[in-house]
Amino acid sequence: MSDSNIKSLAEKYRLNPEQVRELFRLFEQDYSTPYILLYRRDLAGNLSAGDIAALRRSLHAQHSLEKEREKILKKLEENGVKNEELARQIKSAPNITELFDYYVPYRPKKRSLSRLAQSRGLAEPARLIIEHKLDHENLAEGVKDYVNPDAGVQTPSDVLEGVFHIINDWMAEEKSHRDLQRKILCKNGRLLAKKKGKWDKDIYREFSEYDNFAVDLSKVHPYQMLCLMRGKQLNALEYNVEAPIEVMYLEAAELYLEGGEEEFFEIDAVFHQQQSMPDGEQLVNLTGPQLLYWSIRKSISHTLAPVLGKEKERCLRQEAENHALDIVRRNIRSKLLMQPVENGTRVLGVDPGFRTGCKLAALDENGTVLECKTVHPHTPKNEWEPAKATITKMISEHNLSVASLGNGNGSRETEKLLAEVIEENCNEFSYTVLE
């Protein structure tokens, strides 16, 4: 793990970097949380068991990140596209999302029209168009020099079709553009859900509010996501992220069109009735800004919006699962710390067993042992009635209020014994089973 990450974690948990490093060393050697809390307080400081668990997860996430980083660097080197700047970006990426943002433009693609066009020498005209350096009023004339029959580029329309595919990929893969559109999606996107299949009464009762459901991505509560996930698992609901396509178009226009939003609206006024993307000979009649307009629409609607939508959905699922785990942790903690009985309660301790019998101990309000007995209600002796009589006598003589039954071998059978004692002789008495 990098020094900056170590320092960040140290500040978060009020430790020094050396403590964090030593804790990570113990984690890697599979030392348990109780061991660290009991015997390495010099490292744990004021950390709780939950804090140590979070540090373990940080280490695991970092290991996964480093493993993916090494794999990507190896692939880039094998494909001959690794350079110093790209290697620096890959090595400095703080998380998986940013790591893949740097890798996406160089990732091998099956039957990629963009990669095919670049292999035919069409990256240069694509760069000139996106940088507004090619004659905007006559693209067909401007790209004539890139016609190359030997490379399979027969006409200016072939050039422009290849250029169109290249620009689409560039727009979808450029990191600054992806980061911008992530923010737009999170701010303006929505999570939609609707009914799937036929519902019975139980399903309707549980999921009726999620039929034709819509909520802003910025306002999705973890419990809503958990319900949607459960509904999808039961094949009762389907949900998806709705990207704010129009807003995303305008943000991209500010990046790629010289006139920004205003120029986008001017071009859109000409083409807004056209639903299908232009191709082939249709591209020859476009100006440079018009080609970029269509590239913006295609790169966002066909590639970027679906990809970022899936990415956001994964984040929502992870947040919901973490929220659920936090609730479980808090509930378990509260149960473990809960006072088992009120002060002043006299208790019958019961340790169940078969061959060796059930051990009984009567305790007063201070935990002082008043009497101990062993009964044999189960096999092999099966002294059921004598055991009931002994327990009844101990409850009466020592004014006991509750039995504490251990959850061990024979506990279920002994629980039945206590239930009969309560039903027949001690209606005010109760019992609890200890885990």
Side-chain angles (χ1 to χ4, degrees):
M1 183 175 287
S2 68
D3 290 341
S4 60
N5 287 336
I6 293 285
K7 185 177 179 182
S8 175
L9 289 171
E11 291 175 354
K12 180 178 179 180
Y13 294 101
R14 297 182 180 178
L15 302 171
N16 63 56
E18 286 307 314
Q19 284 177 299
V20 175
R21 289 191 180 91
E22 186 63 16
L23 282 171
F24 283 173
R25 187 185 68 79
L26 294 179
F27 294 159
E28 289 171 345
Q29 294 178 4
D30 292 329
Y31 280 87
S32 67
T33 297
Y35 175 88
I36 294 171
L37 288 173
L38 283 171
Y39 303 113
R40 296 307 306 269
R41 294 304 305 184
D42 58 314
L43 298 178
N46 294 320
L47 296 180
S48 66
D51 293 333
I52 292 179
L55 276 170
R56 283 186 191 274
R57 290 194 296 272
S58 297
L59 180 63
H60 178 73
Q62 191 64 31
H63 281 334
S64 299
L65 177 62
E66 293 303 327
K67 188 176 180 180
E68 201 63 46
R69 199 193 310 275
E70 290 176 9
K71 189 188 301 183
I72 287 175
L73 287 170
K74 184 177 179 181
K75 287 181 180 178
L76 292 173
E77 191 166 355
E78 289 173 352
N79 295 333
V81 294
K82 183 179 176 182
N83 57 59
E84 289 185 8
E85 177 60 19
L86 180 58
R88 185 192 63 77
Q89 291 172 334
I90 295 292
K91 290 176 181 177
S92 64
N95 52 58
I96 290 288
T97 299
E98 192 160 333
L99 182 65
F100 274 96
D101 277 352
Y102 288 124
Y103 176 54
V104 161
Y106 306 94
R107 181 178 55 188
K109 300 177 184 177
K110 295 180 180 179
R111 295 178 294 180
S112 167
L113 296 175
S114 170
R115 297 290 167 83
L116 178 61
Q118 290 185 60
S119 69
R120 291 174 172 173
L122 301 181
E124 185 179 351
R127 179 182 58 78
L128 293 175
I129 290 174
I130 205 169
E131 292 178 357
H132 312 287
K133 294 179 179 178
L134 202 63
D135 180 8
H136 290 175
E137 299 303 324
N138 193 347
L139 281 183
E141 188 67 28
V143 300
K144 283 175 62 175
D145 292 342
Y146 299 97
V147 173
N148 184 359
D150 294 337
V153 184
Q154 306 288 341
T155 64
S157 65
D158 292 339
V159 175
L160 291 174
E161 189 162 9
V163 164
F164 187 51
H165 293 309
I166 292 172
I167 294 177
N168 291 341
D169 272 12
W170 283 354
M171 287 183 177
E173 294 170 353
E174 186 180 1
K175 186 178 184 307
S176 60
H177 185 213
R178 290 168 74 94
D179 287 341
L180 175 66
Q181 297 295 7
R182 273 194 191 95
K183 294 177 182 177
I184 298 302
L185 177 70
C186 294
K187 182 179 178 181
N188 302 99
R190 297 194 303 166
L191 182 65
L192 307 180
K194 62 180 180 180
K195 173 182 178 181
K196 183 179 180 183
K198 294 183 178 180
W199 286 3
D200 58 26
K201 290 183 179 179
D202 292 336
I203 293 294
Y204 178 84
R205 191 179 304 113
E206 185 172 358
F207 299 113
S208 59
E209 65 180 288
Y210 292 101
D211 185 18
N212 295 320
F213 173 80
V215 62
D216 293 344
L217 288 178
S218 59
K219 298 178 181 178
V220 178
H221 194 280
Y223 81 82
Q224 294 173 321
M225 196 65 203
L226 288 169
C227 287
L228 292 175
M229 291 162 63
R230 173 171 163 75
K232 185 175 182 179
Q233 187 177 35
L234 294 175
N235 211 31
L237 292 172
E238 54 186 6
Y239 63 85
N240 66 284
V241 171
E242 180 186 65
I245 297 292
E246 298 298 330
V247 181
M248 294 173 77
Y249 286 165
L250 298 181
E251 290 297 328
E254 290 295 326
L255 282 178
Y256 297 111
L257 292 178
E258 287 184 310
E261 290 185 15
E262 185 177 347
E263 187 171 13
F264 183 90
F265 283 127
E266 290 176 359
I267 299 172
D268 190 62
V270 178
F271 293 108
H272 71 279
Q273 296 292 344
Q274 184 174 329
Q275 299 300 318
S276 60
M277 296 286 172
D279 57 10
E281 290 297 330
Q282 295 175 322
L283 295 170
V284 176
N285 300 319
L286 299 179
T287 65
Q290 289 172 346
L291 183 70
L292 293 176
Y293 161 87
W294 283 109
S295 292
I296 288 170
R297 287 187 54 174
K298 184 171 184 179
S299 64
I300 289 176
S301 61
H302 287 57
T303 305
L304 208 49
V307 167
L308 297 184
K310 291 291 183 184
E311 181 184 287
K312 182 60 180 177
E313 183 186 326
R314 286 195 297 272
C315 290
L316 291 173
R317 288 202 307 266
Q318 187 64 56
E319 289 171 5
E321 289 168 357
N322 290 340
H323 178 76
L325 287 173
D326 284 340
I327 291 175
V328 171
R329 289 189 194 101
R330 289 198 298 270
N331 288 343
I332 292 175
R333 178 179 173 81
S334 65
K335 287 184 180 296
L336 291 175
L337 295 178
M338 186 184 299
Q339 186 175 342
V341 292
E342 294 181 2
N343 290 333
T345 302
R346 290 183 164 227
V347 178
L348 175 67
V350 184
D351 180 19
F354 288 109
R355 183 180 58 81
T356 57
C358 295
K359 275 70 73 178
L360 309 175
L363 308 174
D364 69 6
E365 298 89 341
N366 301 314
T368 303
V369 179
L370 303 174
E371 183 182 7
C372 292
K373 293 279 187 180
T374 300
V375 294
H376 298 270
H378 314 308
T379 56
K381 294 187 177 182
N382 295 314
E383 297 174 352
W384 188 265
E385 292 302 324
K388 286 166 58 178
T390 299
I391 293 172
T392 302
K393 183 180 178 182
M394 291 180 72
I395 293 172
S396 176
E397 286 185 354
H398 300 294
N399 193 27
L400 306 178
S401 302
V402 63
S404 176
L405 173 62
N407 186 18
N409 196 21
S411 64
R412 289 187 179 181
E413 293 79 2
T414 307
E415 186 178 355
K416 183 179 179 182
L417 176 73
L418 291 173
E420 286 190 14
V421 168
I422 293 170
E423 184 179 1
E424 295 173 7
N425 304 307
C426 308
N427 293 332
E428 299 300 320
F429 193 73
S430 61
Y431 71 88
T432 182
V433 180
L434 301 182
E435 294 295 332

